[in-house]
Amino acid sequence: MGQPQPQKPIAAEQQILSLGRVLQSLREEDDVDVLIETTISYLKEQFDYKLIWIALYDRLNHILFGKGGITPDRDMSFLHQRVVLSPGDLLEQVVIEQHPLGVADLQTEIRAAEWRKIAEKFHIQGTIILPIRYKDRCLGLLLLGSERWGYLLTGETKARLMMVLGELGAVLYQNETHKQQKQTRRSDEPLLELLGNLRTLSNLNQRLEAAVQATHKFVSPNRTNVYWFEREGRYFWCRMSNQLVKMDRNSTSQQAAGMTVQELSDFYYALAVNEIVSIGDARSSLNSHFTAKLLQRLKVRSLLAAPIIWQKNLVGFLAVESNEPRIWTDTDRNFVQGVAGLISLVVPTESMESTIKQIQEDAQLTSQVAQGIYSEHDLQITLHSCAKRVLARLGATRFLLLQYDSEQKNYQFTYQSQPHNRRPLTFTLHALKELDGQLLQSSTQALEIENLDEDLRFFNWRPSLLENNVRSLLVCKCTHEHIPAALLVITHETYRSWTTLEKELLWAVSQQIGVIVRQWQLHNRTTQQQKTSQAFEQCLRILTQSQNSIEVEKKHLEHTALEQIASILGCPLALMLSWTPGESWAEIIPGVIDNSQFGIFSDAFISIQTEALIQWALATETYLTLKVDNLPPETRKWLNIPDKSQILVMALRTNADYEATGVVLLVDYQERRWSEQNLSAIATLISQLAWWRRQKQITRLLESTTEELRQLNWYKHRRLEEIQRITAHSLKQIHDLGIPANELTQMRYQLLLRQLDHTATSMSGMLKLEHWQLHISWETMPIASLLKRSLERIENQLKQQKLWIGVHGLGQPIDEPEAPKNSSLVRGVPSSSAQSAMAIAGDIVKIELVIHELLVTACNRSQTGSRIDIWCRRLDPSKPSDTKHSSTTGGSEHQTSLELSITYNGAIEPQLLTELHNNTPKDVLAPSNLDQPPALHLVICQNLVQELGGELNFYQLPDNRVVSRLLLPLAIHDS
């Protein structure tokens, strides 16, 4: 591919002797420059190359430093240049792979941009690049360029060249190792000397001065400075410099001017985690963007800074600065870091007395907080003393104790302390984000946010806190739940940081406050439970007391019950809006009025239908809470309460189907918090009061009804006694007069006399057996006879209303010719010769009265000239069709029964049908159609038939006919 490089015509012996001499020279020489010159002389003498270049490799900075060579025009300037290696470069490839690389024509090689220009200038083509290495470590490289095309080396030439380069690499490696060892030993001596000097000096400034001078002497930068960190304000100031010794933080010089953490953000955070910052020639431990910004701020080209840390807190840093790009060696780094460590050890001596005093004060503070756990003082008093000392100790603005509200899912301020010229915070803080919650949950010390504007933690708190001038804060969890229920927060209005000791102190205080908070929560919970228990006990005792019929006594008990209910929440106003079912206006019953700002107009007329509070309470299953803003103007006319109030209303109702008898209303201050436990107790007591009021109202209703019925029964019974006496006396007189002689008159006379005797006898039996309760007798009667007697009793009403009655099912066909005039418009009742054998069993008198009541009702509800049908049918339980048809009849269907249905076309209220249904629950206190005749008579008939072993139901057919279905037992012999 090319021709071998031409060599000088020398004998083989001379080549071997020259090789031996150069190898011997390399072994015996220590100076690197002499080694390079010896190698270049040998190459120039033994090899015919127009361009020779030797460079040494800095592996830390990935840079080649030119050390010399030969050129055709003897211009040596570019042979000493510094070459920064870049990816894809030919020189980097040789350095990394450590293998020779040949180029046929260097002028056309795109991977060696700088060398292409040189090759064109000197007409260099064939080039070979060889690494100078030792033990897999590249120490430099050799570049050989020729004016001929190609890059091939013969075996003998390559062997001599590799031997020379191998020996050069071994000597360079030994020299570098020896230099590092020598430098290490040199750094030990000045550090030990500095340590001795620090022992003899009395104050911190003198020690800082000695440290700066020793560092400046060893590293030899342009400047050596010690910067000190001020936590309040978060800035660094130059405390000591080799140029301006014993500088003051108030100095006006540019060197002493403060540098804020905001300016040095990445630099500051690296130092805070105890990392040394190195910025040298083309190399930096920080990102490139911030590196340029930092060098511009300090007006230097190179920087080496080591943190000064005491008790995990950044106190400051030691910096060596250079105005030129400089490569910092490991020795430089180790020395600066060692001096910074020595400064860290002598820092505490400056404030030893104040530190001891501070530790004592901190111990006293934690002791006083701990005493609050066992003291009887109010929680606010304990926290006030603690907050005052903590704010003074930490130099903070606000002391905030947050409590998590699980119902509203936010944190509320249960206690806060701030300077007199600052207003308390009035907002709430959102629940923690999941990441912040996990961070707090795993924390074992206070979480510090030095700059709220930049920190992403507690991000959803940021807007509210920044709006109230909070710029930095410390957060401690007081409890260890999954969601910390209590948090202690210390804030400041400027950007600042706190020491580890301060954070540990706040953590200790927060844990003790957590114990106090839990203790007071338990105490308050126990107190509240005792108050609730007492209220329950007192309320139950009040509600179980016997009540007189006097209305004043009733109101007194309700007033006392309202007092006990209000005591659970401590409400300043409690009252009841009371009414009786069916009324339109509610009465105000006051319970508690403990504040002049809360009041009512007790004489106001409150409409049940239009009052919003009443209707809202009736529409709510349990209790309802609302703000004053929700009240309409009509309610505010009788309810006088402040604008910042909250209201609880609950209807006095025992069941969703029962009528409410009132509404309990409680009013409290808006800032007061009602717990679920208290609200549950309130709801229970109000429900108990509702039951008590219902039972009392039912009792009064039943007592009143019983009293009325007793009076009515007494009056009717005494009247019947008088009628019976007069009737018996009249019969005696008739008997005494004798029987008339006329045969026809005699027959009628005897018939009327028998009827009077029968009536008098029945009245005697009723007066004797049914004085204060019904007596059920047992007799039988054919249904035809019973119907005939019942129809005879309503004959006059049928004639007046021109009603038609048809009886079906007694053996007579339904369609008959027109009835005779003396039939009273009754069709279908068989004559005595054709009567059905069906007979009913039971108290015939009462059954006859029931049938009569049903017929009277049918007549009254029928239109003039309309028709009434009576259907009779035997029901045999052995027949499936009868059983299916009578599926709602109940127990009477186990025997043969008679179904008597009375149908007519008439109007009947759907509500009345619903109320007459046996399975419909009835509210005793609710206004009902069944309380007055004629519906009352139908209910009485229903109950009476049930006692007689039958059933009575009312319903409406699809064609709007009304049916009264009566089920009666048939006589046994008939079955």
Side-chain angles (χ1 to χ4, degrees), residues 575-625:
L575 59 92
M576 180 194 303
L577 302 176
S578 175
W579 65 85
T580 301
E583 293 182 348
S584 301
W585 300 93
E587 177 189 6
I588 299 178
I589 299 177
V592 176
I593 303 178
D594 284 346
N595 193 308
S596 58
Q597 295 180 340
F598 297 81
I600 55 174
F601 296 99
S602 56
D603 297 333
F605 293 95
I606 301 176
S607 171
I608 299 174
Q609 295 299 325
T610 60
E611 173 51 50
L613 282 177
I614 295 177
Q615 292 304 313
W616 290 341
L618 294 178
T620 306
E621 185 175 352
T622 57
Y623 57 82
L624 174 68
T625 59

Side-chain angles (χ1 to χ4, degrees), residues 369-437:
V369 177
Q371 290 175 5
I373 301 175
Y374 308 100
S375 68
E376 298 295 330
H377 295 300
D378 185 78
L379 178 62
Q380 300 291 323
I381 298 176
T382 303
L383 291 177
H384 176 74
S385 174
C386 172
K388 183 178 179 181
R389 296 176 64 88
V390 168
L391 289 178
R393 169 67 177 87
L394 301 184
T397 308
R398 294 182 185 273
F399 178 100
L400 307 172
L401 181 60
L402 278 61
Q403 191 75 21
Y404 183 70
D405 189 335
S406 57
E407 299 171 10
Q408 301 185 22
K409 303 260 187 280
N410 61 17
Y411 280 96
Q412 301 179 357
F413 299 110
T414 57
Y415 177 82
Q416 52 182 313
S417 178
Q418 60 281 324
H420 297 295
N421 58 349
R422 300 290 189 276
R423 292 181 180 179
L425 304 179
T426 56
F427 54 88
T428 59
L429 293 171
H430 299 293
L432 294 171
K433 297 295 184 183
E434 183 178 0
L435 192 60
D436 292 329

Side-chain angles (χ1 to χ4, degrees), residues 620-638:
T620 306
E621 185 175 352
T622 57
Y623 57 82
L624 174 68
T625 59
L626 58 150
K627 300 289 190 298
V628 177
D629 299 338
N630 305 128
L631 297 181
E634 291 76 12
T635 303
R636 298 296 298 270
K637 290 178 181 179
W638 64 267

